[in-house]
Amino acid sequence: KLYRGGLSSTTFVRPFEGPINVRQKENHNYSETELKRYFGARAVLGDQRPRQRNRQFHRSTWMTNPKDSWPRFSRPGISMPLLETKEGTQYFTFEHSREYQQVQFKFLDAVESMDPNNIVALLQLNPYHIDSLLQLSDVCRIQEDQEMARDLIERALHSFECAFHPLFSLTSGTSRLDYLRPENRAFYLALYKHMMFLEKRGCPRTALEYCKLILSLDPDSDPLCMLLLIDFLALRSREYQFLLQLYQDWEEHRNLSQLPNFAFSTALCYFHLSQQEEVDHEESNKQRHKANQMLQLALIMFPGVLMPLLDLCTVQPDATVTSHTFFGPKSQLEYVQPPALTQLTALYVGRTYNLWREAPVMLWLEESVQEVLHRVNDKDPRVEECQNKRKQRYQSAPRNIHRHVLLSEIKEAISSLPLEVTTQPVMGFDPLPPLDSLTSYTRPQRQRAGSSNESTLSLFFRSLLPNFNLQVSCVELVTGQLPFHAHALR
C-alpha cells in the first residue's frame, strides 16, 4: 500500500528532518540571468525599452517582476496569518475576506457556465482573483498563447506575495502551508505552473529552486509529489551533488530508492560525475563503479523501465534482451508490474527519456543491461528479493501521485491512471482536492440547472487536462457561444 508520500509503509519511520534550503539570493531576476547566460542579453531582452508614459509602480517582489502592462494592484482580499510556531517551524495559512469569498462564488458560477468569457469578465472587475488567473492560464495554454498563460500565473504569484506574513520565508525551509486548506492550494498550483514555464523556457536551475520551495511547504505530505520531479530538474541543471546529498539525507526515513525516478537518476548522477574532466582517474573509477552498481540494482528492481525507455529513445534493443522474460513484454504485465508502479514508470520514462539519449549514456546502459541479464541467469538472490518487493508494494497509488500525474501532462502516465480518476471531473484550479479538506467557508446553496448538465460540465473540466482532444470536443463546448479572446486580458 502506498501512502501520501508516494512510498511504502516503511516510508515515515520518523518525521521529516532538516529543511530544504532554497537559494538565498533567488528572485525574479535569476531566470533572466540564466537565460542571458545561455542565449545572450540581446536575445533575451530584445527591443525592450523603458516606457515612461503611463508607467505604473508596483511593489517589488522576489518571485515575479511586475509589468507596467498589468492592472493597477489593489489588495484582492487575501491575508496570511501565522497559526502557530512549533519546534522552529512556522505554520501559516492564506485567508479570504468576505468580499473575496463573494468573488470566489461568482468564479464558480462562471466555471459552471462553460463560457471562458464569463471568467474574463470577472477578471476585468477583479484583475488579481487567483483562481480566475489560474483557470484562464490553462485556457490560454491550450490555445497556445504561452506568453499570456505565463503572464497570468506571474500575476497570481504577485498577488500572493503581496499578502505574505512578515515572518513567512521563501528561503528558510521552515515555513509551512497545509494543502488540506483550500485557500492554500492555489499557491501550490501557481508555484508549480510557474516552475514548469521556467523549465520549458530553458531555466532548469531556477525551476529547481521553485521545486525545492514547493517541497519545503509541506515536506512530509508532499501534496504535489515534488519528489517525483526534483531529480529531473537536478539532472537538467547539472546539480548532481545536490541530488546525491538529498538522496543520502532522505533515504533512511523516506525510502527514496523505492521510487523508480530516484533509483535511476542517482545512478545517472554518479555516471555524469565520473565523466567530468576535472575529476582525477581514481575518483572517476570510483564514481563509475558506484554508477554501475546503482544502475544494475535499479534495472533489477524496476525492469519495466527499460523497454519503454528504449522505445522513446528510438533505440532497437538486442534480440537477447527482447526475447528474455526479465526485460521482454512479460515485464509490462500487471501481475509482474503492479498498477501503481506502472504509473511511476510511465511518469519517469516520459519525463526523462531525453536525458538517456546521449551516446555515452546509452552505451553505459547497454553494458549494465547485459550484466543484469547475467545476474538473472545466474539466479542472483537480489533478483527474487526485488520481485517479492514489487508484488508486496505499489498495489495502489495515493491521491497525491494521481494529482502529480495529471499536472505532469505526460500522456504515457495519464493513460495509466485508474478509472476512478479518469472518469471524474477534474477542475484545473483545484485538481483532485484532498478528501479530508479543512474548509473554512462553503458556497451557498443555489438552484441547479439539472442533472442533464453534468456530463457537459465534466467535459468542460476535462478540457483543461492535457489528454483532452481539443479538435474533437471544443466545438461541442462552445457552440453558440462567443469565442474566448485572450487579448481581452491585456
Side-chain angles (χ1 to χ4, degrees):
K1 180 71 174 177
L2 291 176
Y3 291 86
R4 285 192 298 176
L7 301 173
S8 67
S9 58
T10 58
T11 297
F12 300 108
V13 176
R14 61 178 182 268
F16 167 76
E17 296 179 354
I20 287 286
N21 289 318
V22 184
R23 283 175 63 100
Q24 296 292 334
K25 295 183 179 179
E26 195 64 42
N27 59 27
H28 59 260
N29 292 322
Y30 192 83
S31 59
E32 282 193 5
T33 303
E34 190 171 6
L35 285 172
K36 290 175 186 177
R37 186 165 64 246
Y38 293 140
F39 306 112
R42 179 170 297 182
V44 175
L45 298 177
D47 295 327
Q48 293 180 13
R49 296 183 177 87
R51 292 175 294 180
Q52 299 298 329
R53 183 177 300 177
N54 297 327
R55 185 176 182 182
Q56 299 185 44
F57 292 92
H58 294 272
R59 171 181 169 180
S60 178
T61 51
W62 282 75
M63 294 187 293
T64 59
N65 191 7
K67 299 178 176 65
D68 292 338
S69 59
W70 286 1
R72 184 176 297 278
F73 181 78
S74 59
R75 293 189 178 276
I78 300 177
S79 59
M80 175 189 268
L82 172 64
L83 297 179
E84 63 174 335
T85 300
K86 185 188 303 181
E87 298 179 353
T89 301
Q90 297 167 318
Y91 296 84
F92 300 86
T93 188
F94 286 104
E95 288 185 349
H96 295 168
S97 67
R98 190 170 298 275
E99 293 76 15
Y100 192 94
Q101 293 176 21
Q102 296 303 315
V103 178
Q104 186 72 8
F105 299 150
K106 293 178 182 178
F107 164 75
L108 296 176
D109 292 341
V111 169
E112 290 188 354
S113 74
M114 297 175 291
D115 184 358
N117 290 287
N118 290 334
I119 305 179
V120 174
L122 183 65
L123 259 186
Q124 289 174 335
L125 296 175
N126 306 274
Y128 289 92
H129 179 253
I130 302 297
D131 283 350
S132 296
L133 293 168
L134 295 179
Q135 191 83 344
L136 277 179
S137 175
D138 284 341
V139 175
C140 291
R141 189 167 46 80
I142 290 173
Q143 295 192 342
E144 299 184 354
D145 189 347
Q146 301 295 327
E147 181 183 355
M148 174 56 68
R150 186 172 65 247
D151 187 81
L152 292 170
I153 296 300
E154 291 179 359
R155 200 195 300 181
L157 285 176
H158 179 73
S159 183
F160 271 125
E161 191 166 356
C162 289
F164 281 176
H165 189 281
L167 296 179
F168 183 80
S169 173
L170 295 170
T171 59
S172 67
T174 58
S175 296
R176 301 285 187 265
L177 282 174
D178 192 348
Y179 196 82
L180 296 181
R181 297 178 181 270
E183 296 90 338
N184 295 338
R185 292 176 206 153
F187 185 56
Y188 278 87
L189 293 172
L191 288 172
Y192 182 93
K193 293 173 187 293
H194 186 57
M195 172 191 67
M196 296 312 298
F197 278 127
L198 287 169
E199 192 274 328
K200 291 176 182 177
R201 289 183 69 197
C203 301
R205 183 67 183 85
T206 312
L208 175 61
E209 299 305 324
Y210 276 91
C211 185
K212 295 179 192 178
L213 171 59
I214 298 171
L215 181 57
S216 74
L217 295 176
D218 193 348
D220 287 329
S221 298
D222 192 12
L224 298 188
C225 269
M226 303 314 293
L227 286 177
L228 299 180
L229 174 64
I230 197 168
D231 62 297
F232 168 70
L233 294 175
L235 286 168
R236 284 269 285 116
S237 54
R238 301 179 182 178
E239 290 292 319
Y240 307 128
Q241 293 293 354
F242 160 76
L243 184 60
L244 294 178
Q245 189 65 51
L246 176 67
Y247 177 79
Q248 293 168 13
D249 293 344
W250 286 36
E251 167 63 10
E252 183 179 352
H253 62 285
R254 296 295 286 266
N255 282 348
L256 297 183
S257 59
Q258 302 307 298
L259 290 173
N261 60 307
F262 267 93
F264 282 89
S265 291
T266 50
L268 189 54
C269 274
Y270 278 113
F271 175 80
H272 283 304
L273 288 174
S274 72
Q275 301 296 298
Q276 293 180 347
E277 295 181 357
E278 61 270 20
V279 177
D280 61 66
H281 183 69
E282 182 179 353
E283 182 65 21
S284 176
N285 288 339
K286 181 180 177 181
Q287 303 281 18
R288 179 61 180 267
H289 179 69
K290 184 70 172 177
N292 293 342
Q293 284 184 321
M294 297 193 73
L295 181 57
Q296 289 175 31
L297 183 56
L299 288 167
I300 291 173
M301 183 65 195
F302 307 108
V305 169
L306 180 64
M307 299 309 291
L309 178 62
L310 295 179
D311 183 53
L312 285 180
C313 292
T314 63
V315 172
Q316 181 64 41
D318 188 87
T320 58
V321 177
T322 56
S323 61
H324 201 286
T325 56
F326 191 73
F327 286 125
K330 185 179 177 181
S331 66
Q332 307 296 317
L333 297 178
E334 186 169 316
Y335 71 90
V336 178
Q337 180 168 274
L341 184 54
T342 299
Q343 295 168 33
L344 295 174
T345 296
L347 188 70
Y348 178 71
V349 171
R351 176 173 282 150
T352 63
Y353 70 93
N354 277 319
L355 302 177
W356 292 85
R357 298 181 82 163
E358 301 175 15
V361 174
M362 191 56 65
L363 180 61
W364 168 60
L365 176 62
E366 180 183 354
E367 295 171 353
S368 297
V369 168
Q370 294 299 330
E371 185 61 35
V372 167
L373 288 179
H374 289 314
R375 294 176 66 174
V376 172
N377 293 334
D378 293 341
K379 300 189 182 304
D380 187 322
R382 182 60 69 89
V383 176
E384 184 178 358
E385 176 188 336
C386 291
Q387 183 180 4
N388 291 332
K389 287 182 179 179
R390 288 196 300 274
K391 290 179 180 179
Q392 296 169 6
R393 306 173 182 179
Y394 314 105
Q395 293 305 312
S396 62
R399 200 170 178 84
N400 61 337
I401 288 184
H402 293 158
R403 189 181 299 123
H404 179 94
V405 169
L406 290 173
L407 290 172
S408 73
E409 303 184 2
I410 297 173
K411 60 181 181 180
E412 297 88 354
I414 291 174
S415 63
S416 67
L417 287 171
L419 285 176
E420 61 264 25
V421 175
T422 58
T423 56
Q424 65 175 293
V426 178
M427 294 171 284
F429 61 92
D430 190 8
L432 296 184
L435 300 178
D436 52 348
S437 296
L438 301 176
T439 305
S440 60
Y441 66 93
T442 57
R443 187 182 182 189
Q445 292 290 331
R446 58 192 300 272
Q447 196 70 26
R448 298 292 179 181
S451 58
S452 61
N453 242 10
E454 185 175 351
S455 60
T456 309
L457 179 59
S458 175
L459 183 62
F460 174 69
F461 286 147
R462 292 173 60 77
S463 72
L464 299 179
L465 293 177
N467 61 336
F468 175 74
N469 190 329
L470 185 64
Q471 293 180 342
V472 173
S473 304
C474 191
V475 175
E476 298 175 13
L477 281 172
V478 300
T479 300
Q481 298 179 0
L482 293 175
F484 165 67
H485 296 290
H487 63 74
L489 300 172
R490 299 185 188 274

